[in-house]
Amino acid sequence: MLAGCGSGDGDQASERAAGHAKKAGPGNGAQASESSARAELAKDPTRIPRVGDRLQARIPANSAQVVAVEGAGKDSADATVRLYTRQGEKWRMEHTWAAHNGKKGWTHSHRQGDKRSPVGVFTLSDAGGVLPQPDAKLPYAHTSAFTPPTYWPKKTRHDFDHVIAIDYNRVKGTSPLDPTRPQGQAKGGSIWLHMDHGSGTSGCVSLSKSGMETLLRTLDPKKHPVVVMGDKASLKG
């Protein structure tokens, strides 16, 4: 059930490569995208910055919380996560975190095992983890069943201390561990927001422990939170 987010021993080499890329970092590129996002928001606070009309139109009208995940490139594992909240018609950027996505980048047609994160807009309705919930507003399944297998790399042992299920090919209102795949197994699943281990994932989006705790304390079912995610070109397209 954890395979959609996990990584086996065979992935360690690619994880090391992704880790080296992260150390090199997007640097000025990340700073430029941050400046661009703030400038766009100041110019038009009624839109999520750096997101084009196609995906903007898919954000539900009743959503007052958006987690925007901007990947550095189609084949990159580096990303930035920004949390936006809306009051009236105006969006406000609340937090920004460095993050990772699938180790092979992004795709518009995710398939099981492709190591890419799906591009799109998805609701966020359920959470869980090995650790107790930190005042989470989303329904939270606290169970040791989230513990990664012992044969996974040691650095992944805390990946699922806290997770938020991204509603891609899953049944809403169930634990993130629910294996049901409404669109079939080949379309993959278990795409989560979870804690970062320093390099790319098998399709999930990962960020710091403090970032995950902030999201869990902030995201509120009454505000209909969604995630808008993709590489920067796909987000704008």
Side-chain angles (χ1 to χ4, degrees):
M1 288 188 290
L2 293 174
C5 266
S7 52
D9 291 337
D11 292 327
Q12 291 188 70
S14 58
E15 285 188 343
R16 284 195 293 270
H20 292 319
K22 179 61 179 176
K23 289 176 182 177
N28 292 335
Q31 295 175 12
S33 67
E34 182 73 12
S35 297
S36 172
R38 293 190 179 279
E40 285 187 26
L41 190 61
K43 184 177 181 180
D44 186 356
T46 67
R47 294 172 59 93
I48 298 297
R50 299 178 66 80
V51 176
D53 291 344
R54 183 179 64 86
L55 291 180
Q56 199 90 218
R58 292 176 56 187
I59 298 173
N62 64 352
S63 179
Q65 293 179 322
V66 167
V67 178
V69 183
E70 181 180 4
K74 179 183 177 182
D75 300 319
S76 172
D78 294 323
T80 300
V81 170
R82 301 184 182 102
L83 173 63
Y84 295 90
T85 61
R86 182 168 60 184
Q87 293 183 340
E89 296 184 354
K90 295 183 178 181
W91 290 101
R92 176 176 176 175
M93 187 189 301
E94 301 287 357
H95 298 280
T96 301
W97 300 279
H100 289 97
N101 51 264
K103 57 174 60 72
K104 291 188 177 181
W106 296 88
T107 178
H108 290 269
S109 182
H110 177 68
R111 307 294 291 178
Q112 183 74 33
D114 66 8
K115 310 299 182 186
R116 292 180 178 271
S117 297
V119 175
V121 178
F122 309 100
T123 53
L124 300 170
S125 54
D126 301 282
V130 176
L131 297 181
Q133 58 91 2
D135 301 320
K137 293 181 175 65
L138 295 172
Y140 190 95
H142 173 213
T143 170
S144 61
F146 282 97
T147 305
T150 56
Y151 57 82
W152 283 10
K154 185 176 180 180
K155 66 179 181 179
T156 69
R157 298 291 164 78
H158 295 284
D159 279 13
F160 309 141
D161 282 357
H162 296 304
V163 314
I164 298 171
I166 294 171
D167 293 335
Y168 169 87
N169 197 20
R170 70 177 299 270
V171 178
K172 299 180 186 180
T174 63
S175 165
L177 291 171
D178 186 340
T180 306
R181 304 286 177 259
Q183 300 177 58
Q185 291 296 123
K187 289 290 290 180
S190 293
I191 305 297
W192 301 340
L193 295 163
H194 67 69
M195 286 168 51
D196 192 61
H197 59 249
S199 61
T201 71
S202 287
C204 297
V205 174
S206 61
L207 62 157
S208 66
K209 180 180 180 181
S210 63
M212 283 300 302
E213 290 177 344
T214 296
L215 289 178
L216 285 166
R217 291 189 180 106
T218 304
L219 297 180
D220 187 344
K222 295 178 181 178
K223 296 183 179 180
H224 310 284
V226 300
V227 59
V228 181
M229 54 194 282
D231 59 282
K232 58 185 178 181
S234 295
L235 288 178
K236 291 182 178 181

